Amino acid sequence: MTGNEDLDEKNRRRLDSEELLKRIKDEKESVSDEGRPDAVEQMHSNDALTARERVAYLCDEDSFDEIGQLASPGPSTPETVDWDRHDAPADGIVTGIGEIESRPVSVGSFDFTVKGGSIGHTGFTKLRRLLDLAKNNGYPVVLLHEGGGHRIQEGLDARPIAHGDYEGTFDMLAKLSGYVPLVSAIMGAGFAGPTNYASLCDFVPIVEGRGNMGMAGPEIVKAALGKNISKDDYDARFHTVETGMAHASYPTDEACLDSIRTYLSYMPQNVTTSPPKSDTPTPPDQRDVENLLTVVPPDPKKGYDTHDVIEGIVDKGSFFELQANFAQNIIVGLSRIDGHSVGIVANNPRIKAGTIDVDVTSKGPRFISLCDAYDIPIVFLSDIPGFLPGPDQERRGLARHAGKFLYELGRATTPVINVTMRRGYGFGYLAMAGGRNANQLKVAWPTTEIAGMSIEGAVSLVYGDEIQNADDPEEKRDEIVNEFTSRTGPLRATEDMGIDAAIDPRETRKLITHVLERTAQTDTTDIPPKKHGIPPI
């Protein structure tokens, strides 16, 4: 507080109500965008919105109620003893409750123009208040990050840092996980703190050309390892393609914020409510439905675009793909079928033949867990030859990670539907919710082949000598392969109720719609009493 402000406060009893109110309004204006034109220009010159503009764009018009606008940094160290709210307006984070599509949301937007977007002790207190309101009222949480994490001037001090998680913000995010949707958008610089927050959230979009993430920035890496790196080494492409840390990248702030609104449109307000249902669903184009009959070639060696299958089943234009550029051998995303929110998990035969590798065991099971947490039914579109073999994958721990699919499916209580489009081989078939893992519906298309492993691989393993000694080895191989192929089709699969039905692919949407209309959460009485399971590592 400046000297003049301190004098005004000491004389405040001499002022009337209008003068007192004017002082509050003046202080609010001084920390707003209107009172900080240089800060606004700093962001606009980099084609970015300010922290407050981002909130205004994200939320429904005039719905945001700010909390802690006049918060000030605490004079906790010699470097900060003279700071007041004008040195760090709102202590670098805009917090409050807004609405998105008329549903309340807790929103925190970090201000890069305040100490580089770093967060001080007062800022942590504001963030904790925001998370407490989310917990107490069941509000989704949206954090808009741009900054450097914990403020250095306040962070190099054992007194507060000895407490560990200052104000318990990380602990609270962990507790909120699975209770309310959690979003961390990386709007710009996101090393350290923003990265840590993003790791605990369900949806992480990032802005191209500005956003980056990492446990430590270039300066810290240089000091620790003597290695020169650029912040661009850990940019949007890196985290959407190589690490999968970000779910999608967008060219502008506005597009990134739009994605948050879209994502939340599929999610319930919290775990005590149902996912929203669209009252005006648009069915897929009839040509896309008819295409389902021929889109999957009977020959398992031939590829096709799984997106064409999805478009023939879900509501038109409703598929919101997540991690589209990471682990592309599997496709996951949120969508709608006859207005119902659903999760889609589909093999992609164009990439690594649709096999499951280590990256897929990160992408797929986590999405299954997300859908199950918020009771969003999951539709598996299966064409799975199995897990990707070889020393490279084994070195990366494929055997350790392979159980993640079965673990998440085994504890899922949301409706699970399996549509086997073509191959359903071995452990991969189980991982894609084949057989008993589909708790509501399991159907097969005419092109289906279900077997304990690849037919060609099994024949080579067991009948290799017989084939090699035959007069015509290729003819003998084809003869044996054809014999086993005749036992793997959908008609055989129905004989012992391994599947519920063999169907016309064009009926898929109708059957799934019936399940969604008739089914709620599945029975959990067969789960033995326990504190929690131990996830595969």
Side-chain angles (χ1 to χ4, degrees):
M1 184 176 294
T2 66
N4 289 337
E5 291 169 355
D6 187 42
L7 180 62
D8 287 345
E9 285 298 302
K10 290 178 178 178
N11 295 323
R12 64 190 311 273
R13 289 186 176 181
R14 301 177 183 178
L15 304 177
D16 60 29
S17 296
E18 289 187 359
E19 290 173 315
L20 291 171
L21 179 59
K22 183 179 184 301
R23 169 161 173 77
I24 293 174
K25 288 182 176 180
D26 289 345
E27 285 298 298
K28 287 184 175 180
E29 182 178 350
S30 72
V31 299
S32 70
D33 284 357
E34 290 75 10
R36 305 176 65 234
D38 291 344
V40 173
E41 177 57 26
Q42 177 184 344
M43 299 303 292
H44 288 182
S45 65
N46 288 299
D47 296 323
L49 300 177
T50 69
R52 295 181 183 281
E53 288 172 337
R54 289 167 178 166
V55 172
Y57 185 93
L58 175 69
C59 297
D60 297 347
E61 187 174 1
D62 295 328
S63 70
F64 183 71
D65 295 323
E66 187 170 354
I67 58 175
Q69 182 178 2
L70 296 180
S72 300
S76 59
T77 63
E79 292 80 9
T80 63
V81 68
D82 294 327
W83 287 6
D84 62 21
R85 71 170 59 94
H86 300 106
D87 294 294
D91 207 34
I93 179 172
V94 179
T95 54
I97 308 300
E99 294 182 6
I100 296 178
E101 298 296 334
S102 301
R103 297 193 297 174
V105 179
S106 291
V107 181
S109 182
F110 294 81
D111 191 341
F112 187 71
T113 69
V114 177
K115 309 299 182 184
S118 62
I119 185 168
H121 299 330
T122 302
F124 278 115
T125 302
K126 290 177 63 175
L127 182 56
R128 178 55 193 252
R129 173 63 172 159
L130 186 74
L131 299 179
D132 284 342
L133 290 172
K135 177 181 72 72
N136 295 338
N137 297 287
Y139 297 156
V141 175
V142 176
L143 301 178
L144 308 177
H145 296 282
E146 182 169 16
H150 205 139
R151 188 171 298 150
I152 295 299
Q153 295 91 333
E154 300 181 48
L156 299 180
D157 183 356
R159 177 171 178 167
I161 302 304
H163 291 283
D165 180 7
Y166 196 79
E167 289 290 347
T169 54
F170 291 111
D171 177 69
M172 181 55 72
L173 274 179
K175 288 180 168 60
L176 289 172
S177 178
Y179 174 57
V180 296
L182 304 175
V183 176
S184 271
I186 306 300
M187 313 296 293
F191 288 109
T195 298
N196 302 145
Y197 285 118
S199 71
L200 291 170
C201 289
D202 311 326
F203 178 53
V204 183
I206 186 170
V207 176
E208 297 164 5
R210 289 180 56 81
N212 48 57
M213 282 188 284
M215 296 301 292
E219 294 80 5
I220 302 298
V221 172
K222 175 68 174 177
L225 303 177
K227 185 175 181 179
N228 292 312
I229 66 167
S230 165
K231 60 183 178 62
D232 295 330
D233 292 336
Y234 305 125
D235 61 2
R237 192 214 64 83
F238 178 73
H239 285 297
T240 54
V241 176
E242 297 189 41
T243 71
M245 179 72 180
H247 290 87
S249 64
Y250 299 93
T252 64
D253 281 14
E254 291 87 349
C256 185
L257 297 168
D258 286 338
S259 77
I260 297 172
R261 293 180 65 95
T262 300
Y263 174 80
L264 291 177
S265 73
Y266 296 96
M267 307 300 291
Q269 181 74 353
N270 56 62
V271 76
T272 68
T273 63
S274 297
K277 182 178 183 296
S278 172
D279 295 328
T280 56
T282 302
D285 291 337
Q286 189 58 36
R287 67 175 180 273
D288 292 328
V289 177
E290 292 296 326
N291 187 46
L292 296 179
L293 186 60
T294 57
V295 66
V296 179
D299 184 351
K301 296 179 181 179
K302 294 183 177 180
Y304 58 93
D305 190 345
T306 308
H307 292 92
D308 291 339
V309 175
I310 296 171
E311 292 303 316
I313 296 173
V314 304
D315 294 353
K316 185 176 180 179
S318 70
F319 185 54
F320 183 64
E321 189 168 355
L322 302 175
Q323 295 180 296
N325 296 315
F326 174 71
Q328 291 180 304
N329 29 336
I330 200 167
I331 297 168
V332 303
L334 299 165
S335 196
R336 292 187 179 86
I337 296 179
D338 197 37
H340 298 272
S341 290
V342 297
I344 301 291
V345 180
N347 302 114
N348 181 7
R350 286 186 168 180
I351 305 295
K352 301 180 182 178
T355 54
I356 295 174
D357 60 9
V358 171
D359 285 342
V360 169
T361 66
S362 169
K363 177 178 175 178
R366 191 177 189 281
F367 181 73
I368 295 169
S369 180
L370 171 74
C371 291
D372 182 52
Y374 299 113
D375 206 24
I376 297 173
I378 312 171
V379 177
F380 285 81
L381 302 174
S382 176
D383 181 3
I384 176 67
F387 285 74
L388 183 63
D392 290 343
Q393 290 297 309
E394 297 295 356
R395 286 192 185 95
R396 293 186 62 194
L398 182 60
R400 291 190 295 112
H401 296 290
K404 291 179 181 178
F405 274 93
L406 276 297
Y407 178 81
E408 294 299 341
L409 285 168
R411 66 178 186 171
T413 60
T414 196
V416 176
I417 295 166
N418 170 270
V419 178
T420 301
M421 303 181 295
R422 193 166 62 179
R423 298 162 297 180
Y425 295 163
F427 195 58
Y429 177 61
L430 303 183
M432 288 298 291
R436 291 185 175 88
N437 289 323
N439 58 36
Q440 290 301 325
L441 180 68
K442 41 189 177 177
V443 297
W445 286 5
T447 43
T448 289
E449 292 181 1
I450 299 175
M453 64 183 297
S454 163
I455 298 171
E456 285 78 7
V459 168
S460 296
L461 179 65
V462 178
Y463 296 95
D465 291 343
E466 181 178 341
I467 292 170
Q468 187 175 356
N469 295 329
D471 293 336
D472 188 335
E474 288 303 315
E475 181 179 349
K476 187 63 176 178
R477 177 186 297 276
D478 290 344
E479 176 188 332
I480 298 174
V481 168
N482 290 338
E483 171 61 28
F484 283 111
T485 300
S486 68
R487 307 176 194 173
T488 61
L491 295 179
R492 177 74 169 168
T494 62
E495 291 180 2
D496 194 39
M497 288 302 296
I499 61 174
D500 296 321
I503 67 168
D504 182 332
R506 295 168 294 186
E507 297 177 345
T508 305
R509 174 182 168 87
K510 179 186 71 174
L511 292 172
I512 293 174
T513 298
H514 289 168
V515 170
L516 299 176
E517 290 173 344
R518 298 166 180 167
T519 309
Q521 195 176 58
T522 59
D523 183 20
T524 61
T525 56
D526 64 335
I527 299 176
K530 55 185 175 180
K531 186 174 182 180
H532 61 75
I534 312 300
I537 56 172

